[in-house]
Amino acid sequence: MNKKQKGKFGRFGGQFVPEVLMPAVKELEQEYERFRDDPEFKQELDYYLKDFAGRPTPLYHARRLSEKYGIKVYLKREDLVHGGAHKLNNTLGQALLAKYMGKRRLIAETGAGQHGTATAMAGANLGIATEVYMGAKDMQRQRMNVYRMELMGTKVIPVTSGSQTLKDAINEALRDWVSNVEDTHYLIGSVVGPHPYPTIVRDFQSVIGNEVKQQIMEKEGRLPDSIIACTGGGSNAIGTFYPFIADTEVKLFAVEAGGSGMESTDKAALHSASLCVGEEGVLHGARTKILQDPYGQILESHSISAGLDYSGVGPELAYLAETGRIKPANTSDDEALAAFHELSRMEGIIPALESSHALAYLAKVAGSGELGEIVVINLSGRGDKDLETVLEKGAL
Amino acid sequence: MRISDKFDELKINGDGALIAYVCAGDGDTTGIVHALIRGGADIVELGLPFSDPIADGPTIQASIERALDAGMNPDRYFEMVKGLGVDVPLVVMTYYNLIFKRGLERFVKDCKDSGITGVIVPDLPPEESGELGGYCEGNGVDLIFLIAPTTTGGRLEDILKRGTGFLYLVSRLGVTGARDDVAGSTKEVLDRVKTDKPKAVGFGISSGEQAAEIIKGGAQGVIVGSAFVDIIASGQDVVRRLEALAREIKSSLG
């Protein structure tokens, strides 16, 4: 295994893209190398993260939750980032990079609309024309997010191919990029896709873990025993974990969506747990763990939380899971819903259904001693966007 | 039949190659392939359908969906190809995950055993192709690379060195799909790509007139896909119209 190979994490990652895009991903790789440590770029990004996004976010000691589970629980409050989720950390970084690269247009994919909204915010703020691909089915389910994007001047383009959800929106965004590669930056929303995207998005999201490290040292004078983050594509998870990778005494739990069961039908999985039960394959430009049938056709995924509902996972997470550095886990739709209600009632914080999967893992294993004495949970987003879904479940 | 033998044969006659693409499993594939060959197709590129075809436009996406719904899969594909009984080179076009999942070596052996002599993988750039290329070479199967208007410099040289069979020149930025004109970038790419290997131009060709212009511009072949698939999608008089369109284009290549 060649760990040093560029753009690879062990044997995972790579650049499996149409020839037309190869020069573009190579250009992006070079330009990112050029600007990532550029003082002017860094200063400008820091400014936006602080004054526009509202960073740093607090590391909050959840007292009542801690009492209930008998361990000290800290919540990293990414729900307080402008827009209500960690997504803006990445979109600001990439939109600024696109501006430095002289690109005149941003395109993005979105599932439920969170990444699309965060891209719309960054695009509007930096004055770059923005178009977002969104599955036609998702557009119906998430009308308010469509409207939010449109309010900020973004054009939302319905995707009617395939299953009309996130994976098809990515396919369509890639097709757009193939056609408009010269003036357009494709702003991917997670640590997926061809190299250098998994690295770029990880770096921009690592602000989460860097802050956690500093904050926990201030509060506890030591590192936590474990960190829990929900994992779809995996951007909030790797962003939280990455600064702790070398600190092997800190256990890292990547909690995927167990959906309504860990089985699959012919064309669809009932879950989105690619790290837990996916098989190796190549999807959207990278070799990683994916949900697929015995022939290699991609299965549709399922989760109550749209942000975790994806058939693949970031290649670096696949690598870290294989080496044993992170531990993949999963919690179901129902367990996530219960955790959603619990945090709302006990702490006065309504969590996103995505983050509720991480919270549910606390409830599931706190009694086992596996998490140690101090645990940090990344509260990746707020739950206002999910109220309709929760209401439909009739769960009060 | 090897692709190079076909190009040698065409060269003697001063003929350009018509390379016809259809997706296996969309309609009566055996009947369709024979109609294309009767019309003059020199090489048949037979798509093996994948659920997430990112390099394809709406026409071929829809064809792939119909084929998958009809139950096409790699096992049936190779079974069907074995029974075709044709004497032109056959090329499989599919996405990398299907090859990866079957196992690279097994996939290439299946190609060889079923009479396929070329492989095109639109999401496999040369940088990632070393392993598959090795199996292809060992089994007498050509690995055909795409060259885009954006392919330049050292990468172009690398592809010219690695590519066997023919070089697949993508005539414009974008996905597959029929267009009425010949892109300005086509001539530019043809001039820029200097090689002894045969060059075939694809993406957007739908008529004899366009095809003639491309051959005049220095190509040894044209690849036509969406225009044939449109006929299959219509379901109207498919076999006769496919044969007629193939004949129209082929007759303009001489």
Side-chain angles (χ1 to χ4, degrees):
Chain A
M1 190 153 47
N2 182 0
K3 278 186 201 168
K4 295 279 178 234
Q5 205 178 335
K6 213 172 187 185
K8 299 252 164 131
F9 310 98
R11 63 178 186 281
F12 298 103
Q15 295 179 316
F16 297 86
V17 295
E19 178 56 32
V20 175
L21 290 183
M22 282 306 288
V25 294
K26 288 195 179 284
E27 180 199 8
L28 183 59
E29 187 181 317
Q30 280 163 13
E31 295 287 274
Y32 180 59
E33 286 299 323
R34 183 172 145 209
F35 290 120
R36 64 189 295 181
D37 297 318
D38 178 80
E40 194 189 328
F41 178 80
K42 279 168 69 174
Q43 195 185 1
E44 200 172 345
L45 180 57
D46 282 348
Y47 159 77
Y48 284 112
L49 287 174
K50 182 166 173 276
D51 285 5
F52 182 62
R55 302 207 71 90
T57 59
L59 183 68
Y60 167 72
H61 177 210
R63 283 191 183 73
R64 295 188 63 203
L65 211 59
S66 300
E67 242 165 68
K68 174 169 178 184
Y69 290 108
I71 54 177
K72 210 160 185 183
V73 180
Y74 283 95
L75 303 177
K76 179 59 174 167
R77 298 292 307 275
E78 291 300 294
D79 59 316
L80 296 177
V81 175
H82 176 46
H86 71 292
K87 290 287 182 191
L88 190 65
N89 303 332
N90 168 48
T91 59
L92 278 175
Q94 280 197 57
L96 194 62
L97 182 62
K99 201 172 171 182
Y100 274 67
M101 287 170 68
K103 301 287 180 185
R104 294 185 295 108
R105 177 173 174 260
L106 297 176
I107 54 169
E109 81 294 342
T110 198
Q114 294 307 110
H115 171 58
T117 302
T119 306
M121 287 172 175
N125 195 271
L126 293 171
I128 312 175
T130 305
E131 294 180 27
V132 170
Y133 286 93
M134 187 169 183
K137 271 189 202 162
D138 287 334
M139 281 179 75
Q140 279 175 2
R141 289 192 288 208
Q142 300 284 345
R143 282 182 321 161
M144 284 303 149
N145 269 340
V146 174
Y147 189 53
R148 284 213 287 177
M149 287 184 264
E150 287 171 350
L151 281 172
M152 290 182 278
T154 287
K155 187 176 165 198
V156 183
I157 305 167
V159 175
T160 53
S161 57
S163 56
Q164 306 185 16
T165 57
L166 177 61
K167 109 182 146 64
D168 309 287
I170 296 178
N171 292 342
E172 213 51 55
L174 283 167
R175 290 180 186 119
D176 179 312
W177 202 28
V178 167
S179 312
N180 301 292
V181 61
E182 279 154 347
D183 70 344
T184 298
H185 175 69
Y186 177 22
L187 205 164
I188 291 187
S190 193
V191 286
V192 301
H195 172 68
Y197 281 107
T199 299
I200 291 180
V201 178
R202 176 200 72 201
D203 290 351
F204 286 140
Q205 290 294 0
S206 291
V207 66
I208 305 172
N210 286 327
E211 286 178 10
V212 168
K213 207 165 193 177
Q214 196 185 341
Q215 290 165 325
I216 198 79
M217 288 308 289
E218 280 164 15
K219 286 172 197 291
E220 294 288 341
R222 72 167 177 98
L223 297 181
D225 297 310
S226 45
I227 301 176
I228 307 175
C230 63
T231 303
S235 71
N236 93 80
I238 194 87
T240 313
F241 296 161
Y242 192 64
F244 293 90
I245 296 291
D247 304 307
T248 49
E249 72 274 24
V250 182
K251 291 185 191 170
L252 307 171
F253 296 91
V255 184
E256 301 189 291
S260 54
M262 292 303 285
E263 313 88 61
S264 297
T265 64
D266 276 357
K267 282 197 158 182
L270 303 180
H271 57 85
S272 307
S274 345
L275 277 179
C276 290
V277 298
E279 292 168 353
E280 232 173 291
V282 172
L283 177 64
H284 295 143
R287 178 166 172 176
T288 184
K289 290 285 184 72
I290 57 181
L291 304 176
Q292 55 184 329
D293 80 1
Y295 291 112
Q297 308 292 0
I298 309 305
L299 297 174
E300 287 170 32
S301 53
H302 164 78
S303 170
I304 189 172
S305 120
L308 302 183
D309 196 347
Y310 178 57
S311 313
V313 65
E316 189 167 16
L317 287 160
Y319 169 70
L320 291 170
E322 192 174 73
T323 60
R325 181 61 192 99
I326 67 167
K327 191 182 169 198
N330 63 84
T331 51
S332 69
D333 286 354
D334 289 345
E335 289 167 332
L337 265 176
F340 173 93
H341 287 291
E342 183 174 81
L343 193 74
S344 302
R345 278 198 313 274
M346 290 186 66
E347 297 286 351
I349 299 170
I350 301 173
L353 281 173
E354 290 79 8
S355 323
S356 300
H357 285 74
L359 293 161
Y361 192 66
L362 169 73
K364 203 169 176 173
V365 303
S368 71
E370 196 184 1
L371 301 176
E373 285 163 11
I374 300 176
V375 58
V376 173
I377 300 174
N378 191 37
L379 196 67
S380 55
R382 68 176 185 225
D384 307 52
K385 67 182 176 60
D386 296 316
L387 298 187
E388 224 165 304
T389 309
V390 175
L391 269 172
E392 272 169 29
K393 291 276 166 185
L396 252 192
Chain B
M1 186 179 191
R2 287 301 294 260
I3 293 165
S4 53
D5 295 339
K6 174 55 85 174
F7 275 102
D8 287 347
E9 180 188 306
L10 289 165
K11 199 174 176 183
I12 293 166
N13 302 329
D15 239 3
L18 169 60
I19 302 168
Y21 167 93
V22 289
C23 179
D26 180 21
D28 163 26
T29 303
T30 303
I32 286 168
V33 168
H34 283 276
L36 291 168
I37 294 172
R38 278 198 307 276
D42 298 296
I43 295 171
V44 175
E45 195 185 310
L46 208 47
L48 167 59
F50 175 56
S51 55
D52 293 73
I54 55 169
D56 285 301
T59 302
I60 290 175
Q61 279 177 52
S63 177
I64 287 171
E65 252 173 74
R66 289 191 298 271
L68 288 173
D69 287 345
M72 183 47 68
N73 65 42
D75 290 340
R76 288 182 191 173
Y77 178 91
F78 288 116
E79 204 55 40
M80 190 262 306
V81 172
K82 249 182 227 168
L84 276 178
V86 296
D87 58 357
V88 303
L90 295 170
V91 173
V92 58
M93 174 149 176
T94 196
Y95 288 80
Y96 192 56
N97 197 49
L98 295 190
I99 301 174
F100 182 85
K101 192 74 172 70
R102 196 167 186 83
L104 273 48
E105 188 174 9
R106 180 177 169 208
F107 186 92
V108 175
K109 286 217 161 101
D110 285 339
C111 287
K112 187 187 178 186
D113 294 345
S114 61
I116 288 171
T117 53
V119 181
I120 301 175
V121 193
D123 61 344
L124 188 71
E127 284 87 343
E128 306 282 0
S129 73
E131 211 184 339
L132 184 65
Y135 291 120
C136 284
E137 205 180 332
N139 286 283
V141 174
D142 291 313
L143 183 56
I144 294 154
F145 287 103
L146 285 82
I147 293 173
T150 49
T151 310
T152 54
R155 296 198 63 262
L156 176 58
E157 278 166 34
D158 184 38
I159 293 174
L160 293 181
K161 220 179 307 157
R162 285 177 197 249
T164 61
F166 62 87
L167 294 157
Y168 189 138
L169 272 55
V170 177
S171 58
R172 62 183 86 212
L173 301 180
V175 293
T176 58
R179 278 92 165 178
D180 296 330
D181 60 323
V182 172
S185 49
T186 309
K187 185 83 175 80
E188 185 269 326
V189 184
L190 274 169
D191 288 345
R192 202 155 49 79
V193 177
K194 299 199 189 315
T195 172
D196 298 336
K197 293 172 185 172
K199 296 183 270 191
V201 175
F203 282 39
I205 299 161
S206 60
S207 72
E209 207 178 319
Q210 287 170 308
E213 204 178 322
I214 285 165
I215 296 296
K216 218 183 294 158
Q220 282 72 47
V222 293
I223 303 157
V224 180
S226 296
F228 291 128
V229 172
D230 276 335
I231 292 175
I232 296 169
S234 76
Q236 304 293 313
D237 199 7
V238 171
V239 165
R240 192 195 59 79
R241 287 170 62 209
L242 284 176
E243 188 178 333
L245 180 60
R247 185 160 292 129
E248 181 210 318
I249 297 172
K250 178 64 188 177
S251 66
S252 69
L253 301 180

